[in-house]
Every structure is written in C-alpha cells, then in structure tokens.
C-alpha cells in the first residue's frame, strides 16, 4: 500500500512525479523518494523519511539534476522502519538502476540470503532492495532492463508492482505487477504510470489498467504489454470519468471535511439513471441472467473495515427485499475457515479502492469454488472489479481521506440497487412497493443535505469534548452497524477508545462500562415505524442514563420522547426504516472529523494507516 508514479516524455519529470505523489500520498505517507535519469544518462535520486513535504523541502533546498524520465514513491512501511535507508527508490547495479515497489515479496528472506551468500551488500531492511539487487544482477548479465525484469519477476512470490529506470536506457521505464495495481496514463508524446489514475489524471484521462502477471515497457511514444513469459498481452483501456479538480481539497480544511459534505452527491450520482420512473435499472448486471438471479439461494457480502460495515447495513434491506438469506463476512476471516460455497451462492464484494488485498483474495477464492461475484467498487479499472463477473460502480468520486465517508453511503446505495434488482427479477417486491422505495431513495440526497446542517452544533460538541478518552455508540437493527462505523471513525482519526454495540446486547455485558459522564451516542429509529424498536431503544437510553451516561442522541426531527433523557439531540429528517442509516451516520462522521480537528490531529492522514490496504 504504497503509491507509485512514473513519467517519460519531454517535460521535466521531477515536478510531474511530485505532483503525482501528492495525489497518491493517501496510500502511504511515512517516507517518499524519486529517481530521474538526466539527458547525459546519469541517474539521480533523493529519498526522505516523513511526509512528502519533507522530500519537497529537501529538493527545493538541494535541487536534483533535471531529467525527462523518472519514477517516484510514497511509502507505507511493511519491511523495515520508515527511515531514509528503507525509503524508495532502492538502487543497484552500481547506482545506475533505481527500483520502486508496492506490495510484499513473501519469499524475500530466502532471496535475501541468496544475495548475502553471493556477497551483495544490502543497505536497507526492505524486500524491495532484494528485488532491486536481483534485477541489477540480471541487468549486468543482459544489459537490458526488460530482460532483467523477466528473469526476476517469475522468482518473486506475493504481491508486487515494480517500476525501474536505468541510467543506460534513459528512454524507458519498465514495470511489472502481480496482485498489486498498476495503471498506465496515455499522453501525447509522453506517458505516465501510477498505482491508480490519481497519479496522472491532471495530465490525461486515457488509461490502461495493466493485467495480472504482466510486464510493461513504457517509452514516451509507445507502450508494450506482455505476460511474464513474454507473450503479447493487452491491458484494459478506459477513460477516467472525473477530472483532477475532484481530487483537490478546494477551500476545505481537510479532504475528509470535503468528502462528508459530498455524501449527498455520492448517493445522487450512484443512483442517477439507475432509479428512474419508479423502478430500478441496472444494465451493469446484464452479464448475469435473470435465470441466474432466480436460482441463487444465498447472498454473501465480503469486505473489510468501513466497507464491511456498509455490507452489514445493506444486508437488512437486501434480505428483506430479495427474500434470500444474506450473510456478511470480513474478507480476511472468511476464506480461512473453509466456507461452504457453491454455484448458487452470489458473492458481492464491497471495496472503495477495489484493491484491498484481503477482499481480492476472498473474491478469487469464491470464484474458484464456483460462485459468481459482483463487485461494488468506487474505482474504475481496479483489480477487484476486473476480476469479478459484474460490477456495480459507486459514483462517489475520488475519496482521498483515509477515513472513508462518502464511499460508505454510496456503497449502501449500491447494495440497495442490487436488492431492488434481485427483488424485481424474483418478484419478491410488487411494482408498487418498488416504486415507493424508489421515491424515498430519490429523496435521500436532499435529506442528507438537511442532515449536514447539524455540522456546526456537532463541531461545538466535539470541541467541548476534546479531552474525552472513550465514547460508546449504541444502535439496533441498521443502527447497529452504524454504531460500529461511528466507533471506527473515531478510533481511526481521533485515536480514542470507541466501541459500538447492539443496544440489545447492553445488559449482557457492556453496560458495566457505563459510569457517570461516559459519553454514549444512541441512534434512535423513528417512532413511526411499526416494529417496536423505538420503544426498546428508549428503554436502553433510560438504562444508561440512570447510570450517569452522557446521552447524545441522533433521532428523527420532532421525536419528543428522547428529549427528557438526552444531553444533546441531533435531529435528522424523517425517512423510511431502511433509509435511516444514510442519515444517522452523518453526525458520527462529522463528530469524528471535528474531534480529531479539536485535538490538533492530521484528519486526512492518521497515524499508522493508509487508504488502500494492498497487503494481507
Ligand atoms: O478500499 P476498501 O473499501 O476495500 O477499504 C476497506 C478498508 O480498508 C477501509 O474501509 C478502512 O477501514 C477505512 N480506512 C475506514 O475509514
């Protein structure tokens, strides 16, 4: 989960590389580096521990020689501490070869031994340097970077995207990928490489996603793709459908603040054209026949982190509407327990990035077991959608902050689209019922806008609570996964203890945590719903209130029943039962954002985390 960028053309590569790294910094930000080859065929590099700004400052103070070809890297450490030595690029072949890498080379220990036995001096603790030295030794033998790559990549196990430049071949970047992403950006008389399109979208929207186990040779006016064993191959060409300004902070204090404010558009754009004329239209699923949807007897949602919570949230409506049993699994747990899967199981993966390794591996596992897979994904050309039988893209736009927000609401929207599609095909919802749901669905973006109006009040609360050491979250039904998501947001960016519970579970243990002053967010459903849950959660509020909890309620506007027991009430517009999670999560996202800000923390780049977890 590092960011990788490459450039070859007529422009000065350094600025382009730093620009690309700036957009990829969300993938890792503990060190950064670049290497360029100048017109005389000399390789220059610089790398620094710390955020990209440290490297930028260093380059400004001590400029590197100019060149029209280069590679750049921003790191999230796996092997070796985040220091200057372990930062990329790593050099080999007497300092003439520079290599950058994303992923984990699992057999690096044995390869490292081999190099040490051969007397090679290694300067870092990284698996990347091992790859660089192996390529360097092959280069010394073949004097050809592509051949050197081919000889080495088949020896590497695990996950890698590698890019390299060599001083003796100042017109070419060679790259390879296995289980880790690589995208080419096609320019006019120049070409780009990146971990994702954000690396080059300000220069070109034309892209090619490099396939699994492929080698690429990129010059300023040509791109060649081959398999590891040298057979001609093709990547997947596509056009990026957002422009660079969508990934800019604009006037916002943080990307997370901007992205929460974009919750309404994330849902609006995801349902646009798909919910119309009182029904659902999902041509995205054409590759799976109606007969297939009639035959399935189980739906399994797999994901990690926030995407997993969107799965837990969406599962309620999906099961209710389709009348098919739905289960939700953490991708990394699921595939190690020999799960029962067959061709009547529909597996739906959820991933903002489409590159989460745990989720990708689970997708591969279930496909081998004979199941069909649908990817719900926010990133065009990513690996998971490309390896799935069908994809329902979410249109949340690029999400840069590590803490996922707008992608979460868009994912729930996509699960609901799928649920309506399956219900329509199987006839488990009447047309009138679908029309009623469709109408409420279309109203959600505006209701999200209303929900966002509570921002100032929540910010005031968060400022007041900046010394808080622990916050609990309670919910029932869809409020339960929203409680889990609220707690995750707070842990991630405010670094405080936070836990979400099913409110019904309270008396089975967690109520022992309640002591005077303990802040507890409670997600209260509408009293208008006829399922009795409102009364139950009001009882839970009374129980914690009686023990001194500070009760922070998110409830429907006008719900007077919670007022006597709440220290604060955040009022959400009324909606039907399954649409409440869209609105209930908003105050929790804002609260995490504002508490992190009040504590003076880096909201967008929290410690120890990276946006895209491309290692298992
Ligand atoms: O890209 P994905 O949706 O597959 O990522 C899954 C999780 O890593 C991600 O949601 C993570 O939990 C976020 N940082 C949560 O805010």
């Amino acid at each position: 989960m590092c960011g990788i960028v490459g450039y070859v053309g007529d422009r000065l590569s350094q600025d382009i590389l730093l620009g690309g790294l700036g957009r990829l910094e969300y993938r890792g930000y503990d060190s950064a580096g670049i290497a360029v080859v100048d017109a005389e065929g000399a390789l220059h590099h610089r790398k620094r521990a710390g955020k990209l700004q440290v490297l930028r400052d260093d380059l400004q103070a001590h400029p590197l020689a100019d060149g029209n070809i280069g590679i750049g890297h921003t790191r999230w450490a796996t092997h070796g501490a985040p220091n200057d030595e372990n930062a990329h690029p790593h050099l080999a072949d007497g300092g003439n070869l520079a290599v950058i890498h994303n992923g984990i080379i699992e057999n690096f220990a044995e390869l490292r031994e081999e190099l040490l036995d051969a007397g090679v001096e290694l300067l870092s603790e990284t698996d990347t340097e091992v790859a660089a030295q192996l390529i360097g030794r092959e280069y010394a033998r073949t004097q050809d970077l592509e051949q050197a790559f081919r000889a080495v990549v088949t020896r590497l196990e695990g996950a890698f995207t590698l890019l390299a430049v060599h001083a003796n071949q100042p017109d070419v970047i060679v790259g390879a990928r296995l289980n880790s992403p690589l995208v080419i950006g096609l320019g006019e008389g120049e070409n780009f490489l990146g971990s994702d399109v954000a690396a080059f979208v300000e220069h070109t929207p034309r892209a090619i996603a490099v396939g699994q186990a492929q080698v690429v040779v990129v010059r300023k006016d040509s791109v060649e793709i081959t398999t590891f064993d040298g057979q001609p191959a093709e990547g997947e060409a596509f056009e990026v459908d957002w422009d660079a300004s969508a990934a800019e902070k604009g006037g916002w204090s943080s990307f997370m603040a901007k992205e929460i404010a974009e919750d309404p558009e994330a849902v609006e754009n995801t349902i646009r054209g798909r919910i119309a004329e009182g029904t659902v239209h999902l041509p995205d699923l054409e590759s799976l026949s109606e007969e297939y949807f009639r035959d399935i007897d189980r739906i399994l949602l797999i994901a990690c982190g926030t995407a997993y919570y969107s799965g837990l949230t969406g599962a309620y409506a999906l099961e209710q509407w389709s009348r098919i049993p739905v289960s939700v699994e953490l991708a990394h747990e699921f595939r190690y327990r020999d799960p029962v899967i067959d061709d009547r199981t529909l597996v739906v993966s959820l991933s903002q990035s489409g590159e989460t390794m745990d989720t990708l591996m689970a997708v591969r596992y279930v496909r081998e077991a004979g199941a069909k897979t649908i990817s719900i994904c926010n990133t065009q050309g990513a690996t998971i959608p490309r390896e799935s039988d069908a994809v329902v893209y979410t249109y949340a736009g690029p999400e840069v902050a590590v803490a996922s927000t707008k992608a979460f609401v868009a994912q729930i929207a996509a699960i609901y689209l799928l649920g309506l599609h399956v219900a329509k095909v199987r006839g488990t919802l009447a047309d009138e019922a679908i029309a009623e749901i469709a109408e409420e669905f279309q109203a959600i973006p505006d209701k999200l806008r209303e929900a966002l109006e509570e921002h100032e009040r929540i910010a005031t609360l968060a400022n007041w609570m900046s010394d808080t050491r622990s916050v609990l979250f309670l919910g029932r039904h869809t409020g339960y996964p929203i409680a889990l998501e609220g707690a995750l947001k707070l842990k991630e960016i405010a670094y405080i203890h936070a836990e979400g519970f099913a409110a019904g579970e309270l008396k089975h243990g967690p109520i022992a945590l309640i002591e005077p002053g303990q802040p507890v967010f409670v997600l209260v459903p509408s009293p208008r719903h006829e399922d009795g849950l409102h009364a139950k959660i009001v009882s839970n509020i009374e129980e914690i209130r009686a023990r001194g909890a500070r009760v922070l309620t998110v409830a429907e506007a006008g719900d007077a029943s919670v007022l006597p027991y709440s220290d604060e009430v955040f009022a959400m517009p009324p909606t039907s039962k399954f649409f409440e999670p869209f609105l209930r999560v908003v105050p929790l996202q804002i609260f995490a954002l504002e508490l992190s800000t009040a504590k003076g923390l880096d909201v967008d780049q929290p410690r120890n985390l990276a946006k895209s977890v491309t290692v298992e």
Side-chain angles (χ1 to χ4, degrees):
M1 43 217 253
C2 305
I4 279 186
V5 57
Y7 173 75
V8 50
D10 292 327
R11 293 193 271 167
L12 295 182
S13 57
Q14 191 170 312
D15 295 345
I16 294 171
L17 296 176
L18 288 175
L21 289 180
R23 291 189 193 284
L24 292 181
E25 208 183 3
Y26 71 88
R27 298 177 67 91
Y29 34 82
D30 58 38
S31 56
I34 61 169
V36 300
V37 180
D38 69 18
E40 277 74 52
L43 189 140
H44 308 270
H45 83 293
R46 182 75 43 78
K47 52 185 187 171
R48 286 288 173 266
K51 294 202 171 167
L52 181 60
Q53 194 55 42
V54 178
L55 177 70
R56 280 199 187 108
D57 293 345
D58 189 302
L59 287 167
Q60 189 146 23
H62 314 282
L64 216 55
D66 288 332
N68 305 125
I69 179 168
I71 52 178
H73 187 268
T74 178
R75 179 170 187 246
W76 184 84
T78 55
H79 293 71
N83 54 30
D84 286 356
E85 290 71 35
N86 292 329
H88 302 208
H90 290 278
L91 303 192
D93 197 25
N96 289 317
L97 170 74
V99 175
I100 55 176
H101 165 224
N102 172 37
I104 289 186
I105 297 168
E106 286 171 359
N107 58 335
F108 104 105
E110 105 198 24
L111 296 170
R112 187 180 164 90
E113 280 310 307
E114 178 185 314
L115 288 168
L116 292 174
D117 288 348
V120 175
E121 190 193 357
L122 295 169
L123 304 176
S124 77
E125 302 151 86
T126 64
D127 49 349
T128 309
E129 192 186 6
V130 168
Q133 288 294 348
L134 290 171
I135 296 169
R137 284 159 70 85
E138 287 297 332
Y139 189 92
R141 199 172 59 78
T142 59
Q143 295 299 302
D144 182 82
L145 195 50
E146 183 185 350
Q147 280 191 49
F149 251 68
R150 267 189 219 300
V152 172
V153 288
T154 44
R155 300 192 60 202
L156 306 180
E157 291 167 16
F160 56 84
T161 302
L162 291 164
L163 290 188
V165 285
H166 196 287
N168 297 350
Q169 290 183 255
D171 64 334
V172 66
I173 303 175
V174 179
R177 71 158 286 239
L178 183 77
N179 297 326
S180 174
L182 178 60
V183 189
I184 302 168
L186 301 172
E188 297 295 330
E190 59 183 2
N191 286 311
F192 308 81
L193 290 135
S195 302
D196 68 47
V197 297
F200 52 72
V201 70
E202 66 180 305
H203 307 292
T204 177
R206 292 189 301 132
I208 299 177
V210 178
Q212 176 73 327
Q214 293 182 348
V215 171
V216 297
V217 177
V218 178
R219 293 185 167 82
K220 70 177 192 178
D221 42 21
S222 70
V223 168
E224 253 175 67
I225 305 179
T226 48
T227 58
F228 277 4
D229 57 6
Q231 301 307 311
E234 279 182 16
E236 190 182 309
F238 64 98
E239 190 107 349
V240 185
D241 63 5
W242 50 273
D243 66 30
S245 63
E248 302 284 353
K249 218 191 290 184
W252 294 89
S253 57
S254 64
F255 277 107
M256 187 182 177
K258 173 179 179 251
E259 287 160 7
I260 292 171
E262 289 170 348
D263 280 350
E265 288 77 36
V267 174
E268 205 158 48
N269 293 335
T270 298
I271 67 173
R272 176 167 295 124
R274 290 161 158 178
I275 293 290
E277 292 144 0
T279 190
V280 61
H281 308 270
L282 265 189
D284 321 55
L285 297 182
E286 261 164 15
S287 57
L288 299 173
S289 67
E290 294 201 350
E291 197 183 349
Y292 167 76
F293 281 110
R294 280 189 212 105
D295 276 355
I296 53 175
D297 61 6
R298 193 175 148 215
I299 301 177
L300 181 60
L301 306 181
I302 49 173
C304 303
T306 285
Y308 170 67
Y309 295 143
S310 80
L312 286 179
T313 310
Y316 290 85
L318 184 55
E319 184 165 285
Q320 173 89 30
W321 295 342
S322 69
R323 304 311 299 153
I324 300 174
V326 176
S327 49
V328 192
E329 304 259 5
L330 283 165
H332 39 86
E333 285 296 314
F334 151 80
R335 83 185 168 96
Y336 290 104
R337 64 171 169 74
D338 194 14
V340 179
I341 304 283
D342 60 29
D343 59 0
R344 297 183 71 195
T345 311
L346 166 62
V347 177
V348 181
S349 68
L350 299 149
S351 175
Q352 188 285 130
S353 62
E355 299 293 349
T356 298
M357 185 58 77
D358 293 311
T359 309
L360 173 62
M361 289 303 172
V363 167
R364 287 187 184 158
Y365 178 94
V366 296
R367 291 194 86 192
E368 259 175 41
K372 295 250 187 279
T373 56
I374 295 176
S375 155
I376 290 181
C377 183
N378 196 43
T379 311
Q380 277 174 292
T383 308
I384 295 175
R386 283 193 291 121
E387 294 199 16
S388 300
D389 295 286
V391 52
V392 178
Y393 278 111
T394 50
Y395 294 104
E399 194 181 61
V400 177
V402 165
S404 185
T405 52
K406 61 177 179 172
F408 176 75
V409 289
Q411 279 160 354
I412 301 172
I415 299 170
Y416 282 16
L417 292 171
L418 174 67
L420 292 173
H421 177 82
V422 179
K424 188 171 154 184
V425 170
R426 292 171 72 101
T428 47
L429 279 180
D431 290 349
E432 302 72 49
I434 293 181
E436 213 173 293
I437 294 167
E439 193 179 337
E440 190 51 38
F441 214 162
Q442 282 175 314
I444 286 303
D446 278 341
K447 293 188 181 183
L448 278 164
R449 288 181 186 102
E450 269 185 69
L452 286 165
E453 285 169 16
E454 289 284 42
H455 196 128
E456 278 314 305
R457 284 189 57 228
I458 299 164
T460 308
L461 173 73
N463 272 304
W464 185 82
M465 286 175 63
S466 61
D467 291 334
T468 299
R469 307 281 304 264
S470 157
V471 181
L472 304 181
F473 295 82
L474 295 182
R476 282 177 179 260
H477 194 260
T478 53
Y480 169 42
I482 297 302
L484 297 174
E485 170 61 5
L488 176 63
K489 287 285 89 75
L490 212 50
K491 284 183 253 203
E492 261 190 308
I493 62 165
Y495 315 152
I496 62 171
H497 169 251
E499 274 195 74
F501 297 108
E505 192 65 10
L506 202 61
K507 54 191 171 300
H508 299 286
I511 200 164
L513 289 170
I514 305 294
E515 55 188 14
Q518 169 68 51
V520 185
F521 270 95
V522 188
L523 305 165
V524 181
S526 167
R528 295 174 298 106
H529 305 332
E530 287 165 1
D531 52 13
L533 285 177
H534 179 270
K536 293 263 184 309
I537 204 142
V538 171
S539 304
N540 297 135
I541 295 179
E542 290 183 52
E543 288 157 13
I544 56 169
R545 177 79 170 182
R547 289 160 178 85
R550 184 175 161 73
V551 180
L552 312 164
T553 305
V554 185
E556 183 171 284
D559 179 359
S561 59
V562 293
L563 296 179
Y565 313 109
S566 306
D567 293 277
E568 297 277 351
V569 179
F570 300 102
M572 297 293 115
T575 182
S576 58
K577 178 168 160 163
F578 289 123
F579 288 94
E580 280 179 346
F582 287 98
L583 309 176
R584 297 293 183 278
V585 77
V586 172
L588 309 191
Q589 294 175 341
I590 297 172
F591 181 71
L593 164 79
E594 293 297 344
L595 195 67
S596 173
T597 308
K599 292 180 75 175
L601 299 173
D602 187 335
V603 170
D604 289 333
Q605 297 181 340
R607 69 185 179 200
N608 305 338
L609 291 172
K611 177 95 186 135
S612 180
V613 184
T614 56
V615 293
E616 277 187 276

